[in-house]
Structures are given as C-alpha cells and as structure tokens.
Amino acid sequence: MSLSPAERFARLRLARTDRIGPVAFAQLLGRYGSAASALDALPDLVRKSGAASTPPPVEAVERELAAGDAIGARLLVLGDGDYPEMLAALDPPPPILWTRGRADLLNQPSVAIVGARIASAGGQRIARGLAQQLGQAGHVVVSGMARGIDAAAHEGSMETGAVAVLGGGVNDIYPPEHADLYARLTDQGCIVSESPVGARAQARDFPRRNRIISGLSRGVVVVEAEIRSGSLITARLAAEQGRDVFAVPGSPLDPRARGPNELLRQGAILCEGIEDIDRAFNTLRTLREPAADPMRFDGDIDDAFLDRVAALLSPTPTPRDEIARALNTPVSQVAAALLELSLTGRAELLPGGLASI
C-alpha cells in the first residue's frame, strides 16, 4: 500500500519535529497509525509539562521539499514501496532519506567498506581492490565519502555500484577536495543522507550516518582504523544490527591496524580477500522488516505515573520490560509513558526497547 502525498508530507514534518528521533517516530506511528494523527496528538501529549515538542511550520517543510527538487534529490519516506528493505529491518529504521543519483542501488545486495581517513597507500590499495572485486561479484559498495579508505572504496566500485552516506545534507560536499568524486557518485552511484537538504554536517550527525552505512549492508569491512574511530563505531552498530563484521589484519607496528586487530580479538571475521566474504555469506541469514510494535496504549497517562516511571530511569539504559515489572504495570502503558517523557526531555528513547535519562 503506497502512502498518500499528505501522509508522506506529515511523516517528513514529524521526523523534523524537536525531540522526535527514530525511536519516538516509530512509536508514534505505532500508537496513532499515521504521522498525520500523531501530529494532531502531539500538543495533548506534551500539555502537562509545558515543554513543547513543536513540529516545524508547514512552510519550513515545503521549503525543504523545494530545496530537494531544486537539486534533483529524491525523498524516500519510511513506508514507501521503494524504501530500502535492509533499513526497514532496523529497530528502528530512519524515518526519511534524501537521495541523489541511482536510488535503485539502495535495494541491491550491499557491503560496506570503512576505515582510516589518513590511510596508508597499502590500505587504500586493499580497499580499492576489494571494492572492485565485490562489485564484479554483484555487490554494491557503501561507504561515507571521507578521505582515505572511504574514497578508495568508492573509486573501486564506481563502475559497478557505489553508495555514499553523508552526515550533512545530500548537497554537503565534505571534504571539499572530493567535489569531483561527489559529482561522479551523483552521476553513476547514489548519495544518501538523513539530514535536511542544505544542512552542514555536525559531530552529532556521524553516528546516524554510520548507522545507515551498516544498516544498508549485509556486512561491514574495516580496513585500517585506530581504536577510537568512527569505523569501529560502524562495526559495533553492524554487530548490533545482525550484520557480519569483517576486519583486514595489519602489522602491530602500525597504529592503524589496532582497530581491525581488536575487532578480530572480539570475533570479527578475518578478511584477506573476497573469498572470506563469500564464505561468510554462504551461511544464509534472512533479515526481515520487524513486526509492528504491539505497544499500543489508548488510556490516559497521569502525572503521578509519569513521575513513577521517570524515577526508575538512570543514565544506564533500562529495558522498558524491567520498568513494567518494577511497577507491576503492562509494558504498553510504560512504553506510552516513556514516549511522553521523551517528548518533554525527561527521558531518551533508545533502540531495543531501552530508555535512559
């Protein structure tokens, strides 16, 4: 069933609402059945605290759509028939995506290659060659258009299918020296972003960017990365999403090998060539879109119950099932309370049914 233009507009507006991240977005859709109904319900949900989770004006959403049209970008909304299946299988999926180029690549078998920005010549050669081999074997290669390993992965897969996921908007070319690479990706591959068109990348955008890189892919290959790097965050996200994590081993004398070598200690799959990836993929696993969240609660949540739920939260993520047991209350009622607390800034909703303060 395709979404109506009005519902697609409402989903973009809901996704751009303050305090509405992917978890809250998914719960609001589950609770109210549509983004239009969720937007109508928002004022009532936050009325008690006086802290507004305010949707952007209709005109602001219209300006974002016009900005996308002006550069030939395409909007994919969760629920669209051509929304990427691999991302729809995440818990929760990104509510919206902007794309430039060949959006059809997002529904083809994909492998991500990520790694150090200041990469060795040997590391770049490995990434480029592996990307080329993956492309010849029928895989799209996903990366982040950063310097070093990312750029090499895009170069190696340009002829066969390259996807670049950006932290900023789909027209935010960073680093600036990748303007030519960006132009070729737009022409031959696909550019993807969850951020509004025209947005400049901020530090907070990169974990979301990394989550999409791993989410689009059946596996993630790490080629050169220091211990504290975005590439290892991508690898961790991939493992949480049920994707395969591959690591290219390196010399212990090179700090850039510490990341992949540590991943191998943690159980990542050794990757010395495409044969290792093929062998892992022969163990078939199916990723399907998760079933609809049964956390629907139609009753009223009073202030006293909100306070009781809030009192059980801490900086350590807590499962909502655990809160429900502590209060001897249905999980659906706790989920509804956590949603309201998140809209007023008293809680943070996390994937996997977790919440924290």
Side-chain angles (χ1 to χ4, degrees), residues 186-210:
T186 303
D187 183 53
Q188 298 174 252
C190 185
I191 302 286
V192 184
S193 175
E194 199 177 355
S195 297
V197 176
R200 297 296 180 190
Q202 307 293 323
R204 65 178 181 271
D205 297 321
F206 288 100
R208 294 189 299 120
R209 186 278 302 260
N210 295 342

Side-chain angles (χ1 to χ4, degrees), residues 288-314:
R288 293 188 176 92
E289 188 168 346
D293 192 340
M295 295 295 123
R296 186 178 182 91
F297 180 78
D298 295 322
D300 288 330
I301 305 291
D302 60 32
D303 289 346
F305 186 74
L306 288 174
D307 290 340
R308 290 171 66 200
V309 173
L312 293 174
L313 296 175
S314 74

Side-chain angles (χ1 to χ4, degrees), residues 238-285:
E240 292 173 357
Q241 293 163 350
R243 275 56 168 166
D244 287 316
V245 177
F246 301 88
V248 176
S251 167
L253 298 177
D254 188 345
R256 291 168 293 202
R258 293 181 63 195
N261 290 350
E262 179 59 28
L263 289 175
L264 291 169
R265 292 188 193 95
Q266 295 173 6
I269 301 166
L270 177 73
C271 181
E272 294 180 314
I274 192 172
E275 298 82 7
D276 296 308
I277 297 174
D278 287 339
R279 190 179 305 114
F281 285 176
N282 283 335
T283 305
L284 182 63
R285 292 182 310 190

Side-chain angles (χ1 to χ4, degrees), residues 106-124:
L106 303 180
N107 271 308
Q108 296 184 24
S110 301
V111 175
I113 298 178
V114 297
R117 285 172 169 78
I118 305 175
S120 70
Q124 293 180 56

Side-chain angles (χ1 to χ4, degrees), residues 8-342:
R8 294 183 84 249
F9 187 95
R11 291 193 179 198
L12 175 57
R13 191 176 180 216
L14 184 63
R16 297 296 185 232
T17 299
D18 291 341
R19 304 187 190 282
I20 303 295
V23 178
F25 182 95
Q27 291 192 13
L28 286 166
L29 282 189
R31 182 170 177 180
Y32 295 102
S34 70
S37 297
L39 286 169
D40 289 341
L42 270 182
D44 190 52
L45 282 176
V46 299
R47 73 189 184 283
K48 305 182 193 77
S49 71
S53 185
T54 309
V58 168
E59 294 78 14
V61 180
E62 290 173 340
R63 286 194 297 271
E64 180 173 348
L65 290 170
D69 287 341
I71 61 170
R74 180 181 176 193
L75 178 67
L76 296 178
V77 177
L78 181 63
D80 282 340
D82 47 3
Y83 183 93
E85 291 182 7
M86 292 292 282
L87 289 183
L90 298 185
D91 178 21
I96 64 99
L97 298 170
W98 279 105
T99 71
R100 292 192 74 184
R102 294 181 52 197
D104 63 290
L105 292 175
L106 303 180
N107 271 308
Q108 296 184 24
S110 301
V111 175
I113 298 178
V114 297
R117 285 172 169 78
I118 305 175
S120 70
Q124 293 180 56
R125 184 174 68 251
I126 290 169
R128 190 180 304 109
L130 191 56
Q132 187 174 25
Q133 291 176 330
L134 285 166
Q136 291 167 350
H139 298 282
V140 169
V141 174
V142 184
S143 199
M145 212 181 83
R147 298 179 179 96
I149 297 301
D150 287 19
H154 291 317
E155 293 288 358
S157 59
M158 192 68 70
E159 300 283 329
T160 52
V163 170
V165 186
L166 308 186
V170 286
N171 54 347
D172 181 30
I173 303 174
Y174 187 84
E177 64 264 27
H178 282 178
D180 177 66
L181 175 61
Y182 174 90
R184 286 183 290 136
L185 284 164
T186 303
D187 183 53
Q188 298 174 252
C190 185
I191 302 286
V192 184
S193 175
E194 199 177 355
S195 297
V197 176
R200 297 296 180 190
Q202 307 293 323
R204 65 178 181 271
D205 297 321
F206 288 100
R208 294 189 299 120
R209 186 278 302 260
N210 295 342
R211 186 170 183 267
I212 294 174
I213 289 175
S214 58
L216 282 169
S217 309
R218 184 169 177 190
V220 173
V221 184
V222 179
V223 185
E224 294 190 343
E226 302 222 14
I227 289 294
R228 297 184 181 277
S229 69
S231 299
L232 264 61
I233 293 174
T234 307
R236 175 179 58 78
L237 292 168
E240 292 173 357
Q241 293 163 350
R243 275 56 168 166
D244 287 316
V245 177
F246 301 88
V248 176
S251 167
L253 298 177
D254 188 345
R256 291 168 293 202
R258 293 181 63 195
N261 290 350
E262 179 59 28
L263 289 175
L264 291 169
R265 292 188 193 95
Q266 295 173 6
I269 301 166
L270 177 73
C271 181
E272 294 180 314
I274 192 172
E275 298 82 7
D276 296 308
I277 297 174
D278 287 339
R279 190 179 305 114
F281 285 176
N282 283 335
T283 305
L284 182 63
R285 292 182 310 190
T286 302
L287 292 167
R288 293 188 176 92
E289 188 168 346
D293 192 340
M295 295 295 123
R296 186 178 182 91
F297 180 78
D298 295 322
D300 288 330
I301 305 291
D302 60 32
D303 289 346
F305 186 74
L306 288 174
D307 290 340
R308 290 171 66 200
V309 173
L312 293 174
L313 296 175
S314 74
T316 301
T318 305
R320 61 191 177 197
D321 295 14
E322 190 175 305
I323 298 172
R325 280 194 296 271
L327 296 174
N328 194 25
T329 303
V331 177
S332 59
Q333 186 175 352
V334 170
L338 289 171
L339 178 60
E340 294 194 22
L341 289 170
S342 75

